[in-house]
Amino acid sequence: MKKPFTKMHAAWFAALFAAMALASCTSLPDSAESSALSASSQPESSIADSSAEESLAESSAEPALTPVRTLDGDYEAMVPAGQQTGITPPLSHGDTPAFYAVQSDGKWGLIDENGTELLPCTGEWMPYLCGMGHWSWSSSDSYERYEEYSSALEEATGHPLCPGHGSNSYQMYAEAPGNSPQIYWSSDGSHGSREIEAEDTLGDSFFPTEYTALTDGGGDPPLLEPGGFWNFSDTDGNVLCPDEEFEQAGWFGGEALAPVQKDGKWAYVDTEGNFATEFVYESCWGDDYVLDPETGEYTYVSPIYAFSLWEGFAPVLRDGKWGVLDENGEEVVPCSYEGAAPYPGGAWLKSDGQWGLYLLA
């Protein structure tokens, strides 16, 4: 089975792939009102038949959704383009929904949440804000038109195009469940480990931790041994799901649920370690390197992660169709849409080629 090989494991890839590292309120409409025709104006048998038909229709019909905003572009995918802190695994959204990486014909660009194009869909990778607050993005003409793109981006967003520089990254690891985790860090070719600090945990009591050993790499800087498994740990080493070995685990990020992966499929667990869903969801965003233990080779794979919740909701992908999961693990929007993207308290959904913003809270 292929196991995820994070960018922390292959720090020497950092320089080569630096550019790759990645409204008005409404709610679900109220149910339809009962018929205006009063009981006194209908025969008793007619009332009974009508009530039965209405009850059946209400039980089988999906709630109608009305978007509060739509986009003009027929994008294949949308992903929040927030500032990356270098943490592995990455959190799937930033602090605000101000910007989205969008894909068209397999290429990536950038829009604001109103749909205004900030970068054309010509980039090889999703644009994102690097740790220095620059837009990281690479396309066939990004070097020739660097000043033009950078000036326009800074005027529109307050952030220029990234000129290229070193990067920092880190993740939590422990050699075995029960051991207190530490931080494995990489910065401009240097590597090491340190104690966990409060800001490292994103405010979560339990955070995604890889269980693997630290190796010196035969005299090279210490690296994390590939092929470990994931779970959630607190700073004392207590494990959230002690009987599980996950292929990957995402962040709670202050929410009620977090995504976990086994056998290539994703489920969601709560903060007590209980499963809120079955393992039925597919990877739907992000990229990374995957180790094939049979060949020992690393392959670039995208998508690789599942979305975390954002103010109670997360887009999910099942059997090639998109829906929305709530904090109870219920598909409040069934998986029947062409696309989806996170938004706090709701989601962007694509139907018949049209993206619409739906607020569900």
Side-chain angles (χ1 to χ4, degrees):
M1 180 186 304
K2 293 184 179 180
K3 294 264 187 171
F5 175 76
T6 68
K7 296 180 179 68
M8 294 294 301
H9 292 143
W12 55 83
F13 281 119
L16 180 60
F17 296 103
M20 296 165 44
L22 311 132
S24 59
C25 293
T26 186
S27 61
L28 285 173
D30 297 332
S31 58
E33 297 180 357
S34 59
S35 173
L37 188 61
S38 67
S40 60
S41 64
Q42 300 183 71
E44 185 174 347
S45 60
S46 175
I47 296 173
D49 292 342
S50 176
S51 298
E53 292 174 357
E54 290 177 2
S55 177
L56 179 61
E58 290 176 358
S59 65
S60 60
E62 296 179 4
L65 295 175
T66 302
V68 299
R69 192 184 314 154
T70 58
L71 296 180
D72 292 332
D74 185 11
Y75 302 115
E76 298 152 12
M78 290 178 58
V79 179
Q83 185 158 348
Q84 298 295 316
T85 61
I87 194 168
T88 298
L91 187 63
S92 58
H93 56 76
D95 294 329
T96 70
F99 309 107
Y100 281 85
V102 289
Q103 187 182 46
S104 179
D105 294 328
K107 301 292 186 179
W108 289 92
L110 182 72
I111 63 172
D112 65 20
E113 67 170 326
N114 295 314
T116 302
E117 182 182 280
L118 304 175
L119 286 171
C121 289
T122 58
E124 297 297 327
W125 316 107
M126 289 180 290
Y128 63 92
L129 282 171
C130 72
M132 299 292 290
H134 308 136
W135 285 111
S136 182
W137 179 72
S138 178
S139 73
S140 60
D141 65 349
S142 59
Y143 297 104
E144 292 82 357
R145 300 176 61 185
Y146 172 83
E147 293 295 338
E148 176 187 347
Y149 284 138
S150 185
S151 297
L153 281 172
E154 188 163 20
E155 181 178 356
T157 71
H159 303 277
L161 195 63
C162 186
H165 50 72
S167 61
N168 301 323
S169 57
Y170 72 97
Q171 74 173 67
M172 286 75 159
Y173 82 99
E175 290 196 0
N179 292 5
S180 295
Q182 291 186 304
I183 291 291
Y184 177 76
W185 59 268
S186 172
S187 177
D188 295 337
S190 299
H191 309 78
S193 61
R194 62 171 174 80
E195 297 297 318
I196 291 177
E197 300 175 356
E199 58 268 24
D200 297 326
T201 68
L202 305 186
D204 287 345
S205 297
F206 284 90
F207 40 83
T209 300
E210 185 178 19
Y211 292 91
T212 185
L214 192 66
T215 174
D216 62 7
D220 294 326
L223 299 172
L224 292 177
E225 187 72 29
F229 67 90
W230 290 80
N231 208 305
F232 299 92
S233 175
D234 64 11
T235 54
D236 295 324
N238 298 308
V239 179
L240 184 63
C241 304
D243 298 326
E244 300 290 345
E245 294 185 1
F246 301 119
E247 294 167 2
Q248 296 189 85
W251 286 89
F252 283 99
E255 301 284 345
L257 304 178
V260 291
Q261 187 188 46
K262 287 179 72 174
D263 297 326
K265 295 286 188 174
W266 292 86
Y268 286 77
V269 298
D270 65 21
T271 55
E272 300 297 322
N274 303 308
F275 286 94
T277 75
E278 297 180 352
F279 286 90
V280 295
Y281 298 111
E282 302 160 25
S283 298
C284 57
W285 79 282
D287 54 33
D288 214 329
Y289 289 90
V290 170
L291 171 65
D292 187 336
E294 296 181 359
T295 65
E297 296 180 353
Y298 307 109
T299 304
Y300 175 74
V301 176
S302 179
I304 195 169
Y305 301 118
F307 284 118
S308 298
L309 272 65
W310 199 0
E311 293 190 13
F313 300 93
V316 287
L317 180 64
R318 178 167 53 83
D319 298 329
K321 295 291 185 179
W322 292 83
V324 181
L325 201 73
D326 71 3
E327 61 186 4
N328 299 311
E330 299 291 333
E331 285 185 19
V332 290
V333 177
C335 290
S336 59
Y337 284 80
E338 301 166 13
Y343 192 90
W348 288 93
L349 296 169
K350 182 182 180 183
S351 180
D352 296 327
Q354 177 74 68
W355 286 90
L357 174 60
Y358 300 85
L359 300 184
L360 307 174

